Amino acid sequence: MKLFQPLSIRSMTLPNRLVVPAMVTRLSGEDGFVNEDIRNRYLRFAKGGAGLVVLEAMAVHGSKSGPLLRISSDEFMPGLRDLCTDMHTIGPGKVVPQIIHFLKIARSGWRQKVEDLSIADIRTIRDEYAAAAERSVRCGFDGVELHMAHAYTLSSFLSRLNKRRDGYGGTLECRLRLPVEVVQAVRAAVGDQFPIGVRFDGEECIKGGYTLAESQLIAYRLVQSGVDYVSISAGGKFEDAQPRAGEPLYPYTGYSGDRCMPGKTWPDGANRYLPAGIKTFLRKQGVATPVVATGKINTPELAEEILAAGDADLIGMARPLLADPDWPRKVQGGHFDKVIRCCYANVCKARDEHFQTVACFLWPKGSKQAPESDDTVPPQWDRQLTASTAQGRVSLKWSAATDNEEVYGYDIWRAVEGGEFERIDAIPAPVTAYHDTATISGLGYRYFVQAYDLAGNRSERSIVVEATV
Amino acid sequence: MKLFQPLSIRSMTLPNRLVVPAMVTRLSGEDGFVNEDIRNRYLRFAKGGAGLVVLEAMAVHGSKSGPLLRISSDEFMPGLRDLCTDMHTIGPGKVVPQIIHFLKIARSGWRQKVEDLSIADIRTIRDEYAAAAERSVRCGFDGVELHMAHAYTLSSFLSRLNKRRDGYGGTLECRLRLPVEVVQAVRAAVGDQFPIGVRFDGEECIKGGYTLAESQLIAYRLVQSGVDYVSISAGGKFEDAQPRAGEPLYPYTGYSGDRCMPGKTWPDGANRYLPAGIKTFLRKQGVATPVVATGKINTPELAEEILAAGDADLIGMARPLLADPDWPRKVQGGHFDKVIRCCYANVCKARDEHFQTVACFLWPKGSKQAPESDDTVPPQWDRQLTASTAQGRVSLKWSAATDNEEVYGYDIWRAVEGGEFERIDAIPAPVTAYHDTATISGLGYRYFVQAYDLAGNRSERSIVVEATV
């Protein structure tokens, strides 16, 4: 599989093409130091075998924030250095911190905007990025990723809504000015060999925002400035965020947030046209810089198909690897059938929006981390399943499976008409019912259910039931 | 060209694959009768040679609205019948009315929602559609198109945000119930041979809205209910519309409005993945129903490529055919070089948003219709052009061309690095300057400008100038 071929990015050779993109965890204290929960989260990712693990985002500056790692002064380095060393020991992958600058925001609804920054402020931001990047070299990280996506400072400079008129906004080239200055300052600070990545939006997904037509140019300009890989996200903006009484405005709560982390209602690989369009443009200019695709990429088949089509060089999986950090190891060993599969319920996203610790809906209740087990005994059951229909939906009920350790959940499989069975959802145990609301009359549906345990061992399939709405 | 091959849809044979999709004109009086301005607008489209012209939308009910055609009682039939007869006489294309039901809206911000409708209201809507469709048979139209897109009643039933709990909302099948009942009632009213089309959103483009995953099923269910073609739009919803003081809320003013009529900042064919995804699904189910693609499709090359790729069977062009209704005739005669080309400035969209008569930015000032001329003499000029750069943009200036009739405008052509020249914009005369803000440093740009007259005769190209930012 192309997915398990190595890839060199400047001084760093990734053992495979799988990336854990930066994900908010809300596991650190507000002090920003590495703690035990953070360590456990990232050691699990490292052990799981992803080729590249991107750490959080961590702040380059001292501004107040919620629980978020920091790399804004040397005092944060020992914890980061130890974590990095231990991740290198426990897994084959490379490790880079994602470094972020964000603007101020208040519960009143007020938020600082890029138009409010003085030239001195802008120079400080540039210098803070450079200093943080230099610290990441001293921590032993394999590279550094600059956060230029979503609702944060550098993304807001890139935005088509950046209205500055002093050479740091307005035209595309001026909107790129600070991001380019940051890349150049970071390069000067980290030296010639250290890989620098950038994560930015392929499309802003807000009214008046930029689209692929400009993000192709943004990618090219960043690469020409010294960037070694580009990781493509989408949306996640303040402009369409939904206000909630008594809480500061939070990006990801509007339509652009849906586009950033496409949930159940979106097609698989919903954003792949963005890395594809950017990669096509870069290659046309003779630039070989690797491109990372993300956004509801779940199965080895889809990941492989994206790589084979040349739509991206690396596959980022956030939610699927949160659900099961061992996805890479299991799939490389030929055991996708043992992967605990994300169902895109976006409970992780909702927890983040409500300022709670980010955990997976599928994990056993109260767990801070994905469970681990070496058990090889699959769940047992009587395979009984029934289907009924009412109000345009199909309702499934099945008898509970049992397991020597613990039944973890059930995958729901469906075939439309004579087509192939596809897994459409998952339900954590002990629930033994499911409602399929994405059904219409005029088509016939067949279903089966399969139980899995903590190690991902699958039971026999239930009987197949048929239904029409 | 595939574009000029005929296509049969039930009793109607279109002479080519070009469609004028329904476009608001605001040319009728508030009484809803056909008037001279409306006649001139549609006779121009018919004369231009499009295979199918869709008329406005026109209301099936008597509710108060702005200037909009009506087909809500027999008194509106004589004007519609005459217009239809005259369109058939003047051009080769077929003519269908798009019929619409919309809910009430007030300047206060209040708007009626589908959840407010009683079962009696719902039956009335169904019956009004059926009666209007039957009138369209008696008017001599070639078919009828049901408006199920954007912010209007049937689209709001289809929406994932339809929260009714009485069998007309909630699950997909229940959201489809009224639209399906309307199709069935219309079929019963118009008989077996009369073509019925539906225009609906391939994606709602709002938070929580449906995506291609459901619009594939919507298309299938509508087709199974008796629909003969599906025309795919996107967005255009109330939910993200921007409130404006003293004006009723207007769809198309938010992000979903940008997605509905993608402007300058969007890639060409921005929405083609929607008809493509829907067509793929229909064909997989063995359904051959034609699919119409729309959304920033401008050139014969792109239209042909979409047809050749099988992404659609028909090409809808709203803004390009508003700019030049003779696009079909000129292109069929091998003269795309004489087409007045839309520049996607979206002034037509802005005029509609501000409740003004819809006209094209490129038309001579004050014109209610696209100009006509049989002149064959191209504009003359000294071909001088200069480029300068400042603040990240390239500014072009040229000397004015002259013409025996009238210089209409200038096309701006650009090549990036050693690439091919592409037309990037148009500027109406007498302006002789242009600012290109979509430029970045690190790439070289070359430009030329070409003048055109009312008939679309092009001048010689200006000299080529080079610029770097």
Side-chain angles (χ1 to χ4, degrees):
Chain A
M1 285 176 84
K2 213 167 159 43
L3 197 52
F4 293 101
Q5 288 172 8
L7 180 74
S8 290
I9 302 178
R10 213 168 274 249
S11 63
M12 161 172 88
T13 299
L14 307 179
N16 61 55
R17 308 301 182 94
L18 280 159
V19 178
V20 180
M23 265 181 277
V24 167
T25 62
R26 299 196 177 274
L27 287 173
S28 83
E30 301 226 351
D31 57 10
F33 286 96
V34 172
N35 61 18
E36 209 49 33
D37 288 338
I38 288 273
R39 283 181 54 82
N40 290 337
R41 176 70 55 95
Y42 286 101
L43 289 171
R44 280 293 271 123
F45 282 134
K47 193 176 168 189
L52 179 66
V53 182
V54 184
L55 273 175
E56 300 252 27
M58 54 187 79
V60 300
H61 60 316
S63 242
K64 197 170 171 299
S65 77
L68 188 79
L69 285 185
R70 294 182 184 279
I71 189 168
S72 49
S73 82
D74 284 5
E75 62 180 325
F76 298 105
M77 288 179 54
L80 291 169
R81 187 185 291 124
D82 287 351
L83 174 56
C84 180
T85 303
D86 293 347
M87 287 173 73
H88 281 149
T89 304
I90 206 171
K94 302 299 176 183
V95 185
V96 304
Q98 187 188 58
I99 61 175
I100 186 173
H101 187 281
F102 45 86
L103 296 175
K104 290 172 192 156
I105 184 162
R107 281 180 199 275
S108 66
W110 173 86
R111 64 183 175 91
Q112 193 181 23
K113 296 185 177 161
V114 295
E115 291 82 358
D116 303 330
L117 299 173
S118 68
I119 295 293
D121 293 334
I122 286 177
R123 296 210 172 115
T124 301
I125 292 167
R126 179 198 63 196
D127 296 345
E128 285 169 336
Y129 264 101
E134 189 274 333
R135 271 177 215 113
S136 58
V137 179
R138 282 192 283 141
C139 287
F141 288 116
D142 301 293
V144 65
E145 183 174 294
L146 313 179
H147 197 337
M148 299 194 185
H150 312 155
Y152 310 109
T153 311
L154 294 183
S155 179
S156 301
F157 273 93
L158 287 179
S159 174
R160 276 195 85 244
L161 304 181
N162 167 0
K163 299 295 181 217
R164 291 186 70 105
R165 297 172 157 271
D166 62 347
Y168 283 99
T171 61
L172 178 58
E173 176 68 13
C174 292
R175 287 153 44 203
L176 271 156
R177 183 169 167 193
L178 177 60
V180 165
E181 288 178 354
V182 166
V183 171
Q184 291 167 338
V186 165
R187 176 57 71 207
V190 301
D192 274 355
Q193 293 308 307
F194 201 67
I196 303 172
V198 167
R199 185 155 172 84
F200 74 101
D201 281 353
E203 193 171 315
E204 292 193 82
C205 306
I206 48 172
K207 182 178 169 68
Y210 71 72
T211 75
L212 195 51
E214 286 193 343
S215 59
Q216 293 176 324
L217 296 167
I218 291 169
Y220 180 74
R221 185 81 174 90
L222 293 172
V223 166
Q224 293 301 93
S225 310
V227 167
D228 300 310
Y229 72 85
V230 290
S231 176
I232 310 304
S233 189
K237 308 295 283 185
F238 273 119
E239 282 79 0
D240 67 348
Q242 298 193 324
R244 285 173 185 164
E247 288 185 2
L249 196 63
Y250 197 65
Y252 313 110
T253 53
Y255 171 80
S256 72
D258 283 358
R259 289 293 308 275
C260 187
M261 289 167 262
K264 259 191 216 306
T265 62
W266 290 87
D268 288 341
N271 294 335
R272 69 182 278 187
Y273 71 99
L274 295 172
I278 286 169
K279 199 179 151 187
T280 300
F281 184 82
L282 292 180
R283 297 300 178 267
K284 205 170 138 189
Q285 306 302 328
V287 171
T289 307
V291 177
V292 186
T294 56
K296 210 176 175 185
I297 306 171
N298 194 337
T299 63
E301 291 75 17
L302 178 57
E304 196 67 14
E305 200 261 294
I306 290 171
L307 295 175
D311 286 356
D313 305 285
L314 291 157
I315 303 294
M317 292 188 183
R319 292 165 292 177
L321 269 64
L322 184 70
D324 191 344
D326 297 326
W327 195 108
R329 197 167 48 77
K330 288 178 177 175
V331 171
Q332 188 162 21
H335 281 292
F336 184 54
D337 60 348
K338 297 218 170 178
V339 168
I340 311 300
R341 295 176 65 178
C342 173
C343 62
Y344 295 99
N346 267 350
V347 172
C348 50
K349 179 173 182 288
R351 291 182 61 92
D352 176 39
E353 283 173 27
H354 291 91
F355 309 104
Q356 298 166 330
T357 301
V358 173
C360 177
F361 168 64
L362 298 175
W363 294 350
K365 232 174 198 159
S367 294
K368 279 190 175 174
Q369 310 293 348
E372 283 192 271
S373 165
D374 292 329
D375 175 39
T376 56
V377 181
Q380 304 294 314
W381 66 338
D382 65 8
R383 304 176 54 238
Q384 290 311 300
L385 172 68
T386 61
S388 61
T389 57
Q391 289 278 64
R393 70 185 189 178
V394 177
S395 296
L396 303 177
K397 284 187 184 175
W398 55 90
S399 44
T402 58
D403 186 70
N404 61 320
E405 288 194 342
E406 187 179 335
V407 175
Y408 191 5
Y410 300 88
D411 280 325
I412 318 295
W413 292 75
R414 187 184 73 178
V416 181
E417 298 285 291
E420 287 185 13
F421 276 100
E422 289 174 27
R423 172 188 168 276
I424 58 165
D425 218 330
I427 287 289
V431 179
T432 55
Y434 180 75
H435 304 290
D436 185 4
T437 58
T439 46
I440 55 168
S441 76
L443 290 174
Y445 298 91
R446 290 177 302 145
Y447 299 86
F448 72 81
V449 172
Q450 202 167 18
Y452 56 87
D453 65 16
L454 295 176
N457 299 302
R458 255 66 181 189
S459 71
E460 284 187 86
R461 294 174 174 196
S462 73
I463 60 167
V464 171
V465 294
E466 298 190 12
T468 53
V469 173
Chain B
M1 284 176 83
K2 213 166 159 44
L3 197 53
F4 293 101
Q5 288 172 9
L7 180 73
S8 290
I9 301 178
R10 214 169 272 249
S11 63
M12 162 171 88
T13 298
L14 308 179
N16 60 55
R17 307 300 181 94
L18 279 159
V19 178
V20 180
M23 264 181 278
V24 167
T25 62
R26 299 194 177 278
L27 287 173
S28 83
E30 302 227 351
D31 57 11
F33 286 97
V34 172
N35 61 19
E36 210 47 35
D37 288 338
I38 288 272
R39 282 180 55 81
N40 290 336
R41 176 68 55 94
Y42 286 101
L43 289 171
R44 279 291 272 123
F45 282 133
K47 193 175 168 190
L52 179 65
V53 182
V54 185
L55 274 175
E56 300 255 26
M58 55 187 78
V60 300
H61 59 317
S63 241
K64 196 171 171 297
S65 78
L68 188 79
L69 286 184
R70 292 180 185 282
I71 190 168
S72 49
S73 82
D74 283 4
E75 63 181 326
F76 298 105
M77 288 179 55
L80 291 169
R81 187 185 291 122
D82 287 351
L83 174 56
C84 179
T85 303
D86 294 347
M87 287 174 72
H88 282 148
T89 305
I90 206 171
K94 301 298 177 183
V95 186
V96 304
Q98 187 187 57
I99 61 175
I100 185 174
H101 187 281
F102 44 85
L103 296 175
K104 289 172 193 159
I105 183 161
R107 281 178 200 276
S108 66
W110 173 86
R111 63 183 176 91
Q112 192 181 23
K113 297 186 176 161
V114 295
E115 291 82 359
D116 304 329
L117 298 173
S118 69
I119 295 293
D121 294 334
I122 286 178
R123 296 211 171 114
T124 301
I125 292 167
R126 179 197 63 195
D127 296 344
E128 285 169 336
Y129 264 101
E134 189 274 333
R135 270 177 215 113
S136 57
V137 178
R138 283 191 283 140
C139 286
F141 288 117
D142 302 293
V144 65
E145 182 174 294
L146 314 178
H147 198 336
M148 300 194 184
H150 312 156
Y152 310 110
T153 311
L154 294 183
S155 178
S156 301
F157 273 93
L158 287 179
S159 175
R160 276 195 85 243
L161 304 181
N162 168 359
K163 300 295 180 216
R164 291 184 70 104
R165 296 171 157 272
D166 62 347
Y168 284 100
T171 61
L172 178 58
E173 176 67 13
C174 292
R175 287 153 42 203
L176 271 156
R177 183 169 165 193
L178 177 60
V180 164
E181 288 178 355
V182 166
V183 171
Q184 291 167 339
V186 165
R187 176 57 71 207
V190 301
D192 274 355
Q193 293 308 307
F194 200 67
I196 303 171
V198 166
R199 186 155 171 83
F200 75 101
D201 281 353
E203 192 170 316
E204 293 194 82
C205 305
I206 49 172
K207 182 177 170 67
Y210 70 71
T211 75
L212 194 50
E214 286 193 344
S215 60
Q216 293 177 324
L217 296 168
I218 291 170
Y220 181 74
R221 185 82 175 89
L222 293 172
V223 165
Q224 293 302 93
S225 309
V227 167
D228 299 310
Y229 72 84
V230 290
S231 176
I232 309 304
S233 189
K237 308 296 283 185
F238 272 120
E239 283 78 0
D240 67 348
Q242 300 194 323
R244 286 173 184 162
E247 288 184 2
L249 196 63
Y250 197 66
Y252 314 109
T253 52
Y255 171 81
S256 72
D258 284 359
R259 290 292 308 275
C260 188
M261 288 167 263
K264 260 191 215 306
T265 61
W266 290 87
D268 287 342
N271 293 336
R272 68 181 281 187
Y273 70 101
L274 295 173
I278 286 169
K279 198 178 151 188
T280 300
F281 183 82
L282 292 180
R283 298 300 178 267
K284 205 170 137 191
Q285 304 303 328
V287 172
T289 307
V291 177
V292 186
T294 57
K296 208 174 175 185
I297 305 170
N298 194 337
T299 63
E301 291 75 17
L302 178 57
E304 196 66 14
E305 200 261 294
I306 289 171
L307 294 176
D311 286 356
D313 305 286
L314 290 156
I315 302 295
M317 291 189 183
R319 292 164 294 176
L321 268 64
L322 183 71
D324 191 344
D326 297 326
W327 196 109
R329 196 167 49 76
K330 288 177 177 175
V331 171
Q332 188 161 21
H335 281 294
F336 183 55
D337 61 347
K338 296 216 171 180
V339 168
I340 312 300
R341 296 177 64 179
C342 173
C343 62
Y344 295 98
N346 266 351
V347 172
C348 50
K349 180 174 182 286
R351 291 182 61 91
D352 176 38
E353 282 173 27
H354 291 92
F355 309 103
Q356 297 168 330
T357 300
V358 173
C360 177
F361 168 65
L362 297 175
W363 294 351
K365 231 172 197 157
S367 294
K368 278 190 175 175
Q369 310 293 347
E372 283 192 90
S373 164
D374 292 329
D375 175 39
T376 56
V377 181
Q380 303 293 313
W381 65 338
D382 65 8
R383 304 177 53 239
Q384 289 312 299
L385 172 68
T386 60
S388 61
T389 56
Q391 289 278 64
R393 70 184 189 179
V394 177
S395 296
L396 303 177
K397 284 187 184 175
W398 56 89
S399 44
T402 58
D403 186 70
N404 63 318
E405 288 194 342
E406 187 179 333
V407 175
Y408 191 5
Y410 299 88
D411 280 325
I412 318 294
W413 291 74
R414 187 183 73 179
V416 180
E417 297 284 294
E420 287 186 12
F421 276 99
E422 288 173 30
R423 173 186 168 279
I424 58 166
D425 217 330
I427 287 289
V431 179
T432 55
Y434 180 75
H435 303 291
D436 185 4
T437 57
T439 46
I440 55 168
S441 77
L443 289 174
Y445 298 91
R446 290 178 302 144
Y447 299 86
F448 72 80
V449 172
Q450 202 168 17
Y452 57 86
D453 65 16
L454 296 176
N457 299 301
R458 255 65 179 189
S459 71
E460 285 186 87
R461 295 175 172 195
S462 74
I463 60 167
V464 172
V465 293
E466 298 190 13
T468 52
V469 173

